[in-house]
Amino acid sequence: MNKVNSTYLLSRVAIVFLFMSSFLITKAQSVVIPIESKQNAMVLQVTSEKRLAMVYMGNKLSDKNEYSSIAKAFRLKDNGSGYNSAYTGSGTRNLLEPAISVTHTDGNKSLDLKYINHTITKLNDDVSLVSINLKDSVYDFEVTLNYQTYFNENVTEQWSVIKHHEKHEVVLNKYASANLYLQADSYWLRHYHGEWAKEMRPEEEQLTHGIKTLDSKLGTRADLFEPPVFMVSLNRPSTEDEGEVLYGNLEWSGNYRIDLEVDPSNDLRLIAGINNYAADYVLKPGVEVTTPKFVYTLSDKGKGEASRNLQSWARKYKIVDGNGPRLTLLNNWESTYFNFDENKLAGILKDTKELGVDLFLLDDGWFGNKYPRNDDRAGLGDWEVNKTKLPDDIAFLTKTANEDGVKFGIWVEPEMVNPKSELYEKHPDWVVKQPQRPEYYMRNQLVLDLTNPKVQDFVFNVVDNLFKKNPDLAYIKWDCNSVIYNAYSAYEGHQSNFYTDYVFGLYRVLDRLRAKYPKVPMMLCSGGGGRVDYGALKYFTEYWPSDNTEPVERIFIQWEYSYFYPALASSNHVTNWGKQPIKFRTDVAMMGKLGFDIVVSKLSADELAFCQEAVKTYKQFSEAIWHGDQYRLQNPRENDVASIMYVDTTKSTAIMFNYLVNTRYGAGTNSPIRLKGLEPDKRYSISEVNLFPGTKSTIQDATYTGDFLMTVGINPDVHEGRTSVLIGVKEQK
Ligand code: DGJ
């Protein structure tokens, strides 16, 4: 190993530094590139043969000069076999899973990327971008690796930009976004599987030597079977507050692939990117392809801190209006399904007002005339208002909503088409299907070909026209109910570009919509939670976690999502799923963005009074739930009682949610549950909130120090007779 020199981000005011290998290497020094956040450092180093290696990921060091000694300490070999390559090529010396694999214009399949230079750009006080340019030594083929670090949040986004100047097209057989290298004694992976109404089921296992792949080949609603989020604990399974753990998410709403390879040195190689399954990407000379971002955070204080890192990053930088408020709502999907008309909806608008929520959301079934959308077999694609159900158009609904003093929102599913539709009749070539094979449907529908710019315009116009005609429209629910079968595009020149270009096409549409309507709230829905990832959430204010709203199920589903996504983005609706009382259902829905999907007129007087009061209570604590810190107190998988709390940023208001999740005899809270995230020296008053009319709390209102609440805790007294208990915590000044 050469003696190494390190280069750093020295100045807080300077904007861009450019580092050239020629200067540094001729001095017989290798380049060390530490990428630091508040707690962590990732260290990249150029080897003597100018390959870029990743030598460290962990707590940052106090003396930056010592980063150059890390490779030696870990006995990382500089022999070019490159297990720790920062972006592993293939067809030359690499023996393990590549991050990139190409077929050059001449058919040759080798790639050996060498370091050229790098720049460090300080984008603001919190965010900096390190871009490292690599080039093949034989072919005119280049890759720029980008590492954008959010210092205070301890979050990094990584992506690559690939281009070439070869004579003709080059085929990218694999083109990952990130290639990380971690060193520990053992690795524990928590990942997820699911199906409709069974989203986010976790599995945690020790990784053994070889490759574990997380992936999707579904095209759209791509995370239905396996979401692109995961965590890896180092050395031992991390707990809520202890252990080293890395969280990751590929910001991509299509086929993805994440390989976790424990290599012959017992180190972990992590390669994340677009799935190369049926997706060789044909790239013209001079054209750049930018891969999706892979976002990750590392914590040495367990899962709780890692999730708070990611949640605060998401609120600040990713989801739309993450620091803003959210609208409570009444949705009509489960109360009417397709069976409604103007009068019924006018009644529901009155109910919206009576309930005290902000908005009425009209769901599926409002469109289609030649093929009316009266069930899920027809009309999708024909976005004209159904004249029988709504003779006075949407305008009637926005006007009535205005008169009632509530807002109005609407459901769309603009990427899809029923074969029984005018759209399909007019534009069969806009539909994804194999020309010579029978059509195959999910929910009686097919996917529109978003690689085609005309289809992109059409989808954009579906939403744009709704806003143009109804300027008071205040909310969109964007659904996506089918995967892609029979992947074939009548538009694409290269079929293998289709899966990737579909998602680029979708993002192009969403970019246009957001440029025109930057703040309007939009819910990301996909037949439940089939499309939750940060690539899509960049355009949305919230997501629909699952069609499964049975509240005990929801505790488990919301719990797992909460590791990766902030509560204000989780649309939780009170419905009639399950046998739990309305209080339990509402308490569970309040742990995120509260909504209802019930027949308000069927509520008893007490139930209605409870819901009205709950909406007010929710507003009192919404600052803590939406923008505060979330602490998981007791895991539903290991305890009779699940407990979770939210503390606002000033640590003056908090709310604790407790639910009985075990119905066995005697199950409940026998001992106090320790609170977290409070100020030890402050005094807080404790009182039970959201009580059902006529019931009395068994918990006495009292005042305690934060120290007491976090050291001893409080017992919410949850048992068979009190299955859900909410406790408000307020600072006493
Ligand atoms: C699936 C969604 O998950 C539901 O909430 C509802 O909007 C239906 N689609 C409407 O078809």
Side-chain angles (χ1 to χ4, degrees), residues 174 235 272 313 337 402 553 652 677 727:
K174 190 172 183 193
N235 300 311
W313 166 80
Y337 293 104
N402 263 332
E553 288 284 323
S652 55
I727 296 185

Side-chain angles (χ1 to χ4, degrees), residues 196 331 333-334 338 363-365 373 376 411 413 443 477 479-481 523 525-529 544 546-547 597:
W196 179 78
N331 188 197
W333 174 239
E334 298 199 6
F338 299 94
D363 216 284
D364 196 355
R373 180 79 171 163
D376 62 19
W411 176 98
E413 194 183 4
R443 210 196 187 204
K477 175 178 178 182
D479 209 344
C480 165
N481 283 287
M523 184 210 286
C525 176
S526 187
W544 182 235
S546 174
D547 279 349
D597 193 347

Side-chain angles (χ1 to χ4, degrees), residues 150-217:
Y150 302 82
F151 189 85
N152 290 313
E153 293 72 24
N154 295 301
V155 166
T156 301
E157 289 185 294
Q158 192 178 332
W159 70 97
S160 54
V161 178
I162 304 168
K163 70 168 180 233
H164 69 90
H165 293 100
E166 298 188 23
K167 279 213 174 95
H168 303 289
E169 290 162 341
V170 165
V171 180
L172 308 182
N173 305 110
K174 190 172 183 193
Y175 36 109
S177 299
N179 187 169
L180 300 182
Y181 194 70
L182 293 117
Q183 290 147 306
D185 292 336
S186 57
Y187 309 91
W188 302 80
L189 173 69
R190 187 178 185 85
H191 58 108
Y192 297 89
H193 66 103
E195 242 291 13
W196 179 78
K198 294 179 186 166
E199 288 86 347
M200 292 299 278
R201 302 223 162 160
E203 281 169 332
E204 194 158 322
E205 74 223 18
Q206 183 172 5
L207 290 171
T208 52
H209 289 85
I211 302 180
K212 167 82 185 173
T213 299
L214 310 176
D215 85 332
S216 169
K217 303 182 183 75

Side-chain angles (χ1 to χ4, degrees), residues 436-452:
Q436 295 168 321
R437 298 182 193 278
E439 290 175 7
Y440 191 68
Y441 311 121
M442 177 177 268
R443 210 196 187 204
N444 311 300
Q445 65 196 56
L446 290 162
V447 179
L448 292 176
D449 180 6
L450 272 176
T451 68
N452 182 339

